[in-house]
Amino acid sequence: MSERISVTEVRNALRCPRIFALGRLRRRAVAFPVGSSCLGATFHRVLEAFSGQVADPPTDFAALAKGAPLDAVRASLSTWLLERLMDEVDADPTYHTIPGEVDDLAEALRELARHLAARLREFDEAPASAMPKLFRAAEMTIEARMGEGGPLVHGRIDALYGDARGRLEVVEYKLTDEANDELDRAQVALYSDLLRSAERIAVGATVLRFTPALRETKMNEQAAEALLAGTVRPLLDRMATWALEPLTAPPTRRSDLCPGCPVSRDCAEAFPERLPIRDDPPMAATRPHAALESGIVAAEPPAVATPLDADEKGRKEAYALSERVLQELKKVGVSAICPRPPVVGPTLYVIEVVRPRGAVSHLDRAAEDVRHRVAA
């Protein structure tokens, strides 16, 4: 078998074989939106930037001594990760239109900082020297053949962690709830098997799910192998057939996918036979009904939710904090302004500070001192 299959296509086929088949007909994998996070890509970019710094960490993290308090390590990691998030927010003004989602992402990064700090305690050395041994890689591309004569499977691993004993672990980050837990476990087990095949080493498998609270799902070798043998490898064999004959792919057995499927129209054209879960309107759909006297009456449209009241208290706190930041900058001789109102979310304020004249480097040098003063 010479077929080359992506891990994204395997996830699609686990949802619905026809999503995979239609992707092959269209010559590109379908990006399935249901159950995905709108800021998942942002989270991964933040972690990729973080990964690039682990060998040369920020000054406050590098200064942490061996045996530093867990809270100190966690706080430093939180600052490090949130600064990378702010780089993303500063680069794209559209983030300011979704402060709630950005808040959730910030909280997920704080949860990750807490998780990494706990893992660093396993190493008998300073956090800065242990970090490259813990956080081995991010966004790692992988390709390997599944068994003798099997398909080439390729994808990108979210992260590769190591422990104090040198054991490796494939880690997948998910910013969605447990609705796709089976898919996620299959994906991380597959990545673990691919890395084992490519590098000839034993690799663990873990899903870190942020909702934004962290839930860790570890798979031991027996559980991962059972999932691979019972579900993933048989599916890959069938996918090779569907890739050659897409119209032989069967429909999904799930009733929740068709209403939000991005290729439902293509599906109806390629597979015209009636499929109730795809072709019948959902039970809650607004549709015409017969009037008592005669004729047809349209159903009442669903009520539109009233927007929530603005967070007046949060806005006042954010403005007070922005004034405090400007005052602290003034104390160290740096003039600055806040050109726009703060962005207020449930747990995070975004305050933009610029220097209208003079060297921006002065603002950069003062920022760390001001941040510590305000935090204190």
Side-chain angles (χ1 to χ4, degrees):
M1 185 189 302
S2 61
E3 191 62 48
R4 189 169 183 266
I5 295 173
S6 73
V7 174
T8 297
E9 289 180 313
V10 175
R11 281 185 69 96
N12 282 341
L14 283 167
R15 290 186 177 100
C16 172
R18 288 181 176 177
I19 295 177
F20 162 70
L22 288 165
R24 284 305 174 101
L25 286 171
R26 297 168 61 179
R27 300 186 181 278
R28 60 185 175 87
V30 176
F32 201 85
V34 173
S36 62
S37 166
C38 66
L39 289 181
T42 305
F43 186 90
H44 285 82
R45 286 196 299 271
V46 168
L47 268 295
E48 189 172 13
F50 172 80
S51 175
Q53 288 187 296
V54 296
D56 185 21
T59 303
D60 63 331
F61 186 82
L64 293 170
K66 175 183 172 181
L70 182 63
D71 284 348
V73 178
R74 177 196 54 76
S76 184
L77 281 168
S78 291
T79 300
W80 185 356
L81 287 164
L82 290 174
E83 285 176 349
R84 300 290 72 76
L85 174 59
M86 289 303 99
D87 291 342
E88 288 285 327
V89 172
D90 290 343
D92 188 346
T94 59
Y95 286 110
H96 295 272
T97 66
I98 49 172
E101 288 82 354
V102 174
D103 269 343
D104 285 345
L105 187 52
E107 185 58 29
L109 291 171
R110 294 188 190 101
E111 288 282 288
L112 178 60
R114 188 177 296 111
H115 179 77
L116 293 175
R119 288 200 176 203
L120 284 170
R121 298 193 76 180
E122 301 172 3
F123 295 83
D124 188 26
E125 54 190 296
S129 61
M131 180 57 78
K133 300 174 184 177
L134 167 63
F135 206 99
R136 299 293 187 91
E139 300 301 314
M140 176 182 175
T141 57
I142 184 74
E143 180 174 273
R145 190 172 296 281
M146 293 294 292
E148 186 175 352
L152 276 172
V153 180
H154 64 97
R156 179 174 290 189
I157 297 170
D158 286 351
L160 185 66
Y161 287 4
D163 66 12
R165 298 181 181 179
R167 295 173 298 192
L168 297 178
E169 179 181 357
V170 170
V171 176
E172 282 293 297
Y173 305 120
K174 301 299 176 185
L175 273 68
T176 56
D177 59 25
E178 289 81 1
N180 287 319
D181 184 61
E182 184 179 355
L183 292 176
D184 300 335
R185 288 187 292 108
Q187 179 179 355
V188 75
L190 178 54
Y191 275 135
S192 177
D193 196 51
L194 291 175
L195 194 57
R196 187 183 300 114
S197 299
E199 303 294 337
R200 305 297 180 186
I201 53 175
V203 186
T206 296
V207 176
L208 297 183
R209 188 181 307 284
F210 303 91
T211 59
L214 172 60
R215 176 190 169 190
E216 181 179 10
T217 301
K218 280 183 172 290
M219 298 184 67
N220 59 36
E221 188 174 346
Q222 292 77 17
E225 180 55 34
L227 185 54
L228 289 166
T231 301
V232 178
R233 293 186 187 119
L235 176 67
L236 283 165
D237 290 338
R238 295 193 294 272
M239 288 173 70
T241 300
W242 300 333
L244 295 174
E245 302 176 28
L247 297 182
T248 64
T252 183
R253 296 180 180 179
R254 291 174 54 174
S255 60
D256 60 322
L257 295 182
C258 291
C261 181
V263 290
S264 57
R265 182 173 298 178
D266 292 349
C267 180
E269 292 177 356
F271 303 95
E273 73 278 9
R274 181 176 173 274
L275 184 63
I277 59 175
R278 180 194 67 195
D279 300 324
D280 290 353
M283 292 297 293
T286 300
R287 50 181 177 265
H289 60 274
L292 291 177
E293 56 278 5
S294 63
I296 298 294
V297 177
E300 291 293 326
V304 178
T306 303
L308 296 175
D309 292 335
D311 185 0
E312 184 63 27
K313 181 180 177 181
R315 185 160 52 249
K316 288 180 179 178
E317 288 181 354
Y319 274 104
L321 184 58
S322 65
E323 288 298 320
R324 176 71 189 283
V325 169
L326 295 180
Q327 289 172 9
E328 293 295 340
L329 285 170
K330 188 175 181 180
K331 288 179 183 178
V332 295
V334 177
S335 61
I337 62 171
C338 294
R340 278 182 282 273
V343 177
V344 179
T347 62
L348 181 73
Y349 299 146
V350 178
I351 299 171
E352 183 177 356
V353 179
V354 300
R355 195 157 191 227
R357 56 185 178 276
V360 177
S361 59
H362 294 171
L363 179 60
D364 292 337
R365 284 196 295 270
E368 189 69 13
D369 287 339
V370 170
R371 183 179 63 80
H372 282 296
R373 291 180 187 181
V374 173

